[in-house]
Every structure is written in structure tokens, then in C-alpha cells.
Amino acid sequence: MRLIFVLLIFISTFTFAQDKPKPLQKDPYFTPTATPKTNAPPADKVKHVHSDELRKDDKYDGNNYFVGNVQFEHQGSILNADLVIFYQDQNFVKAIGNVKLQNPDGSVITAEEMEYDGNTQKGIARKNVVLTDPKQTIRTDIMYYDRLSNQAYFNTGGTITDGQSTMYTKSATYFLDTKLIDFVGNVKIDNPDYIVEGVNIKQNQNTKVAEFFGPTTITRRDNPKNRVYTERGTYNMNSKEAYLKKNSKIFYNDKILTGDDMYYNQLTGFGKATGNVTLDDPNERRWIKGGYGEIFEKKDSAMMTKNPYAVKALEKDSMYFAAEKIISFQKPDSADIRKKKSFLRAFRKARMYKSNAQGRADSIAFNETDGVMHMYREPILWSDGKQVTGDKVEAYFDTQKESIDSLKVIGNAFAISKVDSLSMKDEFNQVKGRLMTVYYGEDNNIKEAKVIGNAQAITYSDDVNAETKEKERIGISLTSCGIIDALFEEKALYVVECNIGATSDTYPMSKIEPARRKFPDFNWNTKDRIMKWQDILVDTPNYPEIKYESDDTLYNQAQEVIEKEKAKEEAKKPKRVRR
């Protein structure tokens, strides 16, 4: 009897438990983040609008559920589904099968399952989730939706399409009011014209402007080598304009432009950079640095200002250029349009340095492919203790040997060499004329000069004393003719050929006055001479002018003898006496 009583109590207790619904286990996402306000009005209730059938059984822990064409409403949002479990006390619903949530702002969320809390106005959609609005479509497996902040969030991977691009990301937040998408982690934006890959990107779907907050690359589809890299910047998807602020690079036509603050238009191919700007051309083994630079992709040209300088790297040596403005460009080879030639232009106060040649002019033009350099307006070139000036200087380089073959000096050509570079004596060999060709020897030093047109030379002549075996000064030769061919050997300049109206006289040191030892336009420039490559970074190194010692002893002694002889002759003349 006692056993039967116990069984009856157990059965009645079990039956009562079955009638009472189990408590709802909500996702932590539904937990309120803010403390409820005191005396705040109760939240609006989720309202049942329609369903084909209401059921209550053990299937959903004893909770009421609605089946068939179910529709609920909450503050203007309409929820449709095949089945909805209604937790009335919690103001909470769970929808299953063909779920569709329509919001007053025009956005629609569809999924296989959805939970919605009327108190917090938060929802979670699961399985084949799709959010659509006039700006884009978002697809993911799980989406968190907050009506109060009007945000949708997912972190299980998803895609976003807007009619122009498809975005792939693991985690993103969509702000429905501002149409801003905040991507966290790795992001890929796939567009018919470009591909954007990066981390931490924000994109405004109204303005189509993307902001980058981490390493990001924008790659063109039609030419993947042409791309943009930045770690902080913005990109306008419509105008294809990029504004780059940190560790940025623009890759175009096998060149790389970097700078502190950069702009680039992919449609026009125009870009500019300020700050620490570098234009690197690995194919030409040349780079240009400056404070401001511009590139013109379609013209394959670039310009650099604000203390710019360029470095042409060679195997054995390097060339350096500087000016107020440097331009580089490429154009098809007239002999073979499939090939391109590279050019460098340095404008205003141009300077260049190479170990065996240094120069300056108002402007310098360098054909890098053919190895031809033009120096315009007051050019001056130094090489191994020799100085060449003229109206224009052309230098021809052997691109294989990376050395200078020859120089052409056009108009007022003038070459000067110190007789003895270790001596402080004011002694210089000189040759000048209308046109001059200067040839370099195997040692990469000036070896020969051929002058055409009103050719003149002043050369110091030495001979070896038969007894002492040491060099002795013979005198100075003054040569004039139509064409002069002269050789530079060690400390001497030898006129080996003088044609057309040749005249040549050699004067002992005692019989040639100092004024005739130099041409009237003689200008040996030591103040502006470039001694090391860093000297090109300033307008002039402004070295102290070297003061040379004039060796006029023999001439002065001879003049004293002459003056004494004149005085003696004057003394022999009878004196006229007035009466």
C-alpha cells in the first residue's frame, strides 16, 4: 500500500513537470549591456499576427508554438516563418523554416532559423543567412542583429555584394543607418577592375569610399604588376582614387613610388607623393629621391623636386645627378618599337658625379640606354685633374664597360690641365677652339684632345737633363692653327699635330710675360668642383679658392737685366745742357 502511494506521488509530480515549460536558455548575446533605467516604461511586446495553427505539447519543452504561415510583428518589423516558438513571458520568439524579417528601413533578413528578443531588440539568424537592402547583400551562416543600434554583425565568414564588388571576410559589422561596413581581420574585395586585399577595412556603401587601417594592397586586374600598397589610407571605389598615409607604395610599369603622403588615380595614372619620396626603377638600376614627386603612368614619366637627386647604379661605379627638378621617362626605340629607351633630365643648377668625371651645368640630359649625356648652358666637366668647358658638352659612355669613351665640346671649347697636380705653382696646359673632341684612355682618364676651328694651345715644355736625369723646364709653347691634335700624358700636354695655318713658338721662361701664359678666358674653378658624390646635394660645395704661386723669378730677373741695360744705354747718351 505504501509503495502504491509513493508511485502515485511520483506520477503526479512528473505529470506536473511536463505541463510546466522548461526555462529558456538564451544566447549570451541577448544579455543587456546597459543597466535598465529606473521607472523606464516596459518594452513593447512581440505580437502574434497570424498562423494556421497553435500547438502546445512536449515538442518544444511545453512552450506554445505556431505553425503554418506564421507572422509576428514588433515595432514595425514583420517576422514570417513556417514555425515560431513564442516565449511570451520572456517577450522572445524563435522562428524555424523559411524565416524572413522585414524592417522599416527596407532591410530584409532571411535564414533557416532566427531568435528575436523584444526586450533588447536583438536577434540572431542562423543557417544560410542573407541580409539585403538597397546597397548590398550580405551572406553568412550566423548573423547578430541589433535594432537599437541598427547594426548587423557576423564572425563566421561571409560575403557582401553590392552590384559592383564582392567582399569576402570572416568578421564584419554593418551599420544600416550610415551604410558603413567595418571589416575586421583579412578582407578581400573582388571587383571587375581591381582586387583589394587587406586587414581592418571600413567601407561606406553610400560614398563607395574604403578606409584602410592595416596592410592593404589594391591590384589592377588588367595589369597585376600595377598595384598600390598602404598601411593607412582611403580608396574611392568609383573614381579609383587612393589617398595613402603610411608606409605606402605605388607599383607601376615596373617602377615603385614611395612617400610619406601619397595620392594616386588609377584611371588617369597620375600619382604624387610628398615627404621622403623615392622613385625606384629596378630594371634601370636607378632611383630618384626628393621631397615631392609626380608620376604619369600612361606617359611612363616622372618628375621629382625639392632637393631631388638620382643614383644610377653600375657594377663597378655609380653615377649621381642632382638639380632643382629631375624628370625621368621612357619612350619606344625608333629602331625597334618593342623596346624602350630610358632618359633622365636634370633642370636648373644640374650636377653630376662619377668617380672619373664630375660636372655641372644649367641642365643635363642623359640617355641611359645609349649612354649619351648632354650638358647645356655654361657646362663644366672635371676629370682626373683636367677641366673642360664650352657652350655645350656631350659625353659618350660605353654602357658595357660602364666608362666614358669620349666628350664632344661644341662652341668655345676649352680644356685645362694642371702641369703638376702636386705643385702649387700657377702652371696650366691649355687647349681651346671652336669644336673639341676629347678621348679617354684605358685608364678612364682623358688621353687625347682634337680641336677644330681657331685652335690654340699653351703648353709647358720640359726636357731631361743628360747629367742629372731630371726634368728641366725649357719654356712655354704658344701654338695656333686650324686643327690641333694634342695628347695628355702624365703631367704634360703634347701637341702632336697642328694643321692649316700653323704657327708655333716656344719661349724660355725668362722671355714670356705671365699675362701670355694663360688665355684671356682662363677660369680654373676649384670653388664649385665636385669632389665627392655628396657635393651634388648642394648648389655648390663652395670650397676655398686655391691660391697658386706664380713662378715669375726668371722672367723678373731677365726684366731686371733688361732694365739695367737700358739704364746703361741711357747713361751713355750725351746730356743736353741749357745755357
Side-chain angles (χ1 to χ4, degrees), residues 122-339:
K122 292 181 178 180
I124 301 176
R126 293 184 172 89
K127 300 178 182 179
N128 299 322
V129 183
V130 179
L131 184 153
T132 58
D133 70 4
K135 295 298 179 181
Q136 73 277 301
T137 299
I138 301 176
R139 300 177 186 274
T140 185
D141 284 335
I142 301 176
M143 178 178 288
Y144 300 85
Y145 178 65
D146 189 336
R147 285 194 60 196
L148 290 177
S149 60
N150 219 11
Q151 297 178 16
Y153 166 77
F154 65 86
N155 60 5
T156 54
T159 63
I160 302 173
T161 56
D162 59 9
Q164 295 179 340
S165 306
T166 300
M167 291 147 267
Y168 305 88
T169 181
K170 182 175 181 180
S171 178
T173 301
Y174 178 42
F175 300 84
L176 283 85
D177 289 337
T178 61
K179 307 304 179 189
L180 179 71
I181 304 175
D182 187 355
F183 300 95
V184 178
N186 295 327
V187 186
K188 180 179 179 181
I189 302 176
D190 201 341
N191 182 278
D193 298 324
Y194 56 82
I195 296 174
V196 179
E197 294 179 288
V199 295
N200 301 341
I201 297 176
K202 292 182 180 181
Q203 178 170 312
N204 189 305
Q205 296 296 73
N206 284 327
T207 62
K208 295 298 180 184
V209 173
E211 290 187 81
F212 309 131
F213 298 89
T216 306
T217 302
I218 307 170
T219 305
R220 286 178 50 169
R221 281 191 174 277
D222 60 349
N223 189 353
K225 291 194 299 183
N226 287 14
R227 62 194 186 277
V228 173
Y229 172 85
T230 187
E231 295 179 9
R232 182 74 174 91
T234 61
Y235 182 65
N236 190 311
M237 305 291 183
N238 291 329
S239 64
K240 308 295 189 295
E241 293 176 287
Y243 298 86
L244 316 172
K245 302 294 183 181
K246 180 182 177 182
N247 296 335
S248 307
K249 297 180 181 181
I250 298 173
F251 298 81
Y252 78 102
N253 300 346
D254 298 318
K255 302 171 184 64
I256 307 167
L257 179 69
T258 61
D260 295 338
D261 197 343
M262 304 175 69
Y263 164 84
Y264 182 60
N265 188 315
Q266 286 184 319
L267 294 178
T268 63
F270 171 75
K272 62 180 179 180
T274 57
N276 298 302
V277 184
T278 300
L279 177 61
D280 190 6
D281 189 340
N283 288 346
E284 286 297 327
R285 301 177 63 197
R286 184 246 300 132
W287 60 91
I288 308 173
K289 291 181 177 289
Y292 176 80
E294 294 179 355
I295 61 171
F296 305 88
E297 178 186 329
K298 294 182 179 180
K299 294 182 178 179
D300 208 355
S301 65
M303 180 272 295
M304 194 81 69
T305 60
K306 293 187 178 180
N307 303 315
Y309 70 93
V311 181
K312 175 78 172 181
L314 304 174
E315 290 291 343
K316 302 175 182 178
D317 198 1
S318 292
M319 295 181 67
Y320 302 81
F321 298 87
E324 291 184 359
K325 178 192 291 187
I326 294 179
I327 293 176
S328 67
F329 61 94
Q330 290 183 312
K331 63 181 183 180
D333 189 341
S334 57
D336 185 353
I337 60 173
R338 295 172 299 178
K339 297 181 180 179

Side-chain angles (χ1 to χ4, degrees), residues 462-473 490:
D462 294 328
D463 199 359
V464 177
N465 187 296
E467 295 180 1
T468 63
K469 306 299 181 183
E470 293 182 358
K471 283 187 177 181
E472 291 182 350
R473 178 61 40 81
E490 295 182 353

Side-chain angles (χ1 to χ4, degrees), residues 17-33:
Q18 286 290 89
D19 290 338
K20 186 178 181 180
K22 289 184 178 180
L24 175 65
Q25 298 295 322
K26 292 184 181 180
D27 189 284
Y29 175 71
F30 294 109
T31 304
T33 56

